[in-house]
Amino acid sequence: MASTKKILQKTFIIASGLAFLGMMTVPMLTVLRGNTNQTEAPSQGAPQQPTAAEIEQLKAIAEGYEKVLQREPDNPNALQGLVEARLQMGDLAGAIAPMEKLTKIYPEEEGLKQLLAAIKLQVENPQLPPPQNPLAPTEPNDQGGGTGSTPTPTQP
């Protein structure tokens, strides 16, 4: 009975270790594959427009963030998520109000102020190229010659 228990313990430890290693390597492979796709993206030219299904999904995400903001108007995570969703949808005018709140919450973040200024400029002059989204998680890895690199806001 004792040897069966030890065998089960060893099997469990080995299985747990393999599961841990698997959970560590799969995200690393995804990141490595994602980085090669990011280096190819700037050379393709204009940014890709979201499909109708993606726009519907982004609208649902934005509505979820808006519901959170009704309960907690100064929730920085909801504000950031709403800005990201609206920027991805191409709704620059709709991203201005939550961006202004974010700049009030994080006045020390120059990147947020620069992005807000770029969004306002783009709304006033639609013929300009769209601003880069520094709030997106892939921005720090961008090696291309974008409009500039701005930091992601630090979470409280």
Side-chain angles (χ1 to χ4, degrees):
M1 180 100 159
S3 66
T4 306
K5 188 175 182 181
K6 285 187 178 188
I7 291 172
L8 287 174
Q9 284 178 340
K10 287 181 181 180
T11 305
F12 180 74
I13 290 171
I14 291 171
S16 299
L18 290 174
F20 177 74
L21 288 174
M23 289 188 330
M24 294 294 290
T25 55
V26 169
M28 283 192 277
L29 292 174
T30 305
V31 167
L32 291 175
R33 276 192 226 132
N35 283 345
T36 57
N37 291 341
Q38 289 173 4
T39 56
E40 293 171 7
S43 64
Q44 292 176 354
Q48 297 177 354
Q49 296 295 327
T51 64
E54 290 172 337
I55 289 176
E56 288 302 316
Q57 184 179 14
L58 288 169
K59 283 182 181 178
I61 290 170
E63 288 174 9
Y65 285 125
E66 288 169 351
K67 288 179 183 178
V68 171
L69 289 170
Q70 287 174 356
R71 291 188 309 263
E72 306 171 45
D74 292 330
N75 183 322
N77 294 329
L79 288 167
Q80 181 176 342
L82 182 59
V83 168
E84 288 176 8
R86 288 186 175 166
L87 288 178
Q88 289 175 5
M89 285 189 295
D91 181 14
L92 297 179
I96 291 176
M99 271 303 296
E100 288 174 339
K101 281 189 176 183
L102 269 177
T103 56
K104 288 178 185 174
I105 293 172
Y106 296 111
E108 70 281 355
E109 291 290 338
E110 289 298 318
L112 292 177
K113 293 176 186 176
Q114 291 173 359
L115 179 61
L116 178 59
I119 291 171
K120 286 181 177 180
L121 183 64
Q122 177 69 33
V123 168
E124 293 170 3
N125 301 314
Q127 71 273 14
L128 293 175
Q132 296 293 320
N133 181 5
L135 300 177
T138 58
E139 177 67 24
N141 294 331
D142 184 22
Q143 303 274 328
T147 59
S149 63
T150 53
T152 302
T154 55
Q155 296 297 322

